[in-house]
């Protein structure tokens, strides 16, 4: 059963070493993420599942101890998902697969707060997965333990300004506002109803992970709190907590 959730953005820029001189611009977002993770710890979960987008049409799983890296951004920084274990001597998991960037950012957030409250695993959800598949995955995750918590990684639109990665789209701000409202209110039905095609056109990486959350929370009675909503660099970042 889902007992708590934290929703956080997943840009590598959230990691100060990656952001370098621009790091202070996301201080408020990092602080909000830290507060949201505190809600997870307070819920005393038996298991924490980190859910994030991947460039795939499938669901991918990553066991505790799987390594990730930000070396692709020119930073000598490695992370692990939860406590070490299950990986090979070179820091890669036994199957040779490393954390995708969204889950690596989640792993960094957990290391940043010193997470040691429950075992951790990662789930990557393909950005093209249907809402129905995402919701079913959420149900399955919630059934994995008596007390499950989710760290849900994903960004809103990337089309909020002319300089945004996806250029300016007038649909972006309303879409992000509704997503922020739904995440802040723990509105499961609104998350289920997010338009997959519009989300794809607006480059919303959080759509599939948010719908996994909606599926996981179906049988709970969680209340939400919106902790941060802004669009630095023209990309919508939302932080919320459910408990």
């Amino acid at each position: 059963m889902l007992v708590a959730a934290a929703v956080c953005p997943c840009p590598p820029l959230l990691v100060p070493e990656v952001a370098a001189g621009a790091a202070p611009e996301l201080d408020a977002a990092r602080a909000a993420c830290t507060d949201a993770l505190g809600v997870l710890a307070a819920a005393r979960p038996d298991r924490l599942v980190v859910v994030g987008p991947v460039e795939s049409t499938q669901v991918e799983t990553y066991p505790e101890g799987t390594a990730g890296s930000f070396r692709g951004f020119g930073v000598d920084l490695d992370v692990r998902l939860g406590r070490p274990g299950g990986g090979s001597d070179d820091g890669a998991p036994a199957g040779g697969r490393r954390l995708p960037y969204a889950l690596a950012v989640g792993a960094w957030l957990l290391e940043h707060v010193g997470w040691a409250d429950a075992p951790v695993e990662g789930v990557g959800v393909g950005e093209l997965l249907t809402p129905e598949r995402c919701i079913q995955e959420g149900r399955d995750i919630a059934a994995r333990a008596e007390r499950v918590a989710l760290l849900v990684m994903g960004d809103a639109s990337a089309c909020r300004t002319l300089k945004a990665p996806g250029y300016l789209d007038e649909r972006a701000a309303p879409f992000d506002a509704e997503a922020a409202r739904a995440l802040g209110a723990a509105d499961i039905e609104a998350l289920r109803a997010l338009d997959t095609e519009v989300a794809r056109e607006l480059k919303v990486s959080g759509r599939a992970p948010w719908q996994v959350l909606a599926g996981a929370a179906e049988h709970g009675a969680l209340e939400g709190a919106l902790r941060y909503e802004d669009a630095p660099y023209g990309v919508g970042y939302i932080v919320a907590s459910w408990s």
Side-chain angles (χ1 to χ4, degrees):
M1 178 179 177
L2 185 71
V3 295
V7 177
C8 295
C10 62
L13 285 173
L14 205 60
V15 179
E17 291 88 342
V18 174
E25 296 180 40
L26 291 180
D27 280 349
R30 291 186 196 95
C33 290
T34 297
D35 291 342
L37 287 171
V39 172
L40 299 186
R44 299 180 181 277
D46 299 320
R47 178 166 296 276
L48 173 64
V49 181
V50 185
V51 180
V54 293
E55 295 181 1
S56 170
T57 58
Q58 304 297 325
V59 174
E60 301 177 355
T61 58
Y62 298 85
E64 184 158 38
T66 302
S69 173
F70 296 98
R71 296 174 189 268
F73 296 92
V75 176
D76 186 14
L77 178 64
D78 298 319
V79 292
R80 281 188 182 275
L81 188 63
R83 293 184 288 268
S88 62
D89 292 340
D90 64 0
R97 190 163 59 179
R98 299 177 71 85
L99 293 174
Y101 284 123
L103 296 186
V105 174
W108 177 84
L109 285 171
L110 293 173
E111 289 186 1
H112 180 65
V113 301
W115 179 269
D117 297 88
V120 182
E121 62 183 282
V123 174
V125 286
E127 295 186 36
L128 297 180
L129 286 180
T130 65
E132 294 76 17
R133 180 68 182 86
C134 294
I135 290 163
Q136 184 58 53
E137 181 64 24
R139 292 170 181 154
D140 294 344
I141 289 172
R144 291 183 187 177
E146 184 174 344
R147 300 180 64 81
V148 174
L150 289 183
L151 172 54
V152 183
M153 308 298 297
D155 300 339
S157 73
C159 302
R160 291 281 290 272
T161 66
L162 292 173
K163 294 183 178 181
Y167 197 65
L168 177 64
D169 190 312
E170 293 182 354
R171 299 172 297 172
F175 185 100
D176 289 359
E178 171 59 11
R181 185 207 64 77
L183 291 167
D187 188 337
I188 294 172
E189 291 306 316
L191 294 176
R192 289 169 62 110
L194 289 175
D195 190 298
T196 303
E197 183 61 23
V198 172
R200 184 189 64 79
E201 292 172 357
L202 296 176
K203 302 185 183 301
V204 178
S205 69
R207 189 275 308 172
W210 298 338
Q211 289 181 327
V212 171
L213 170 60
E218 278 184 341
H219 300 299
L222 303 183
E223 296 183 356
L226 183 63
R227 297 179 175 273
Y228 177 89
E229 194 276 323
D230 202 354
Y233 317 115
V235 180
Y237 298 151
I238 300 170
V239 180
S241 57
W242 294 19
S243 63

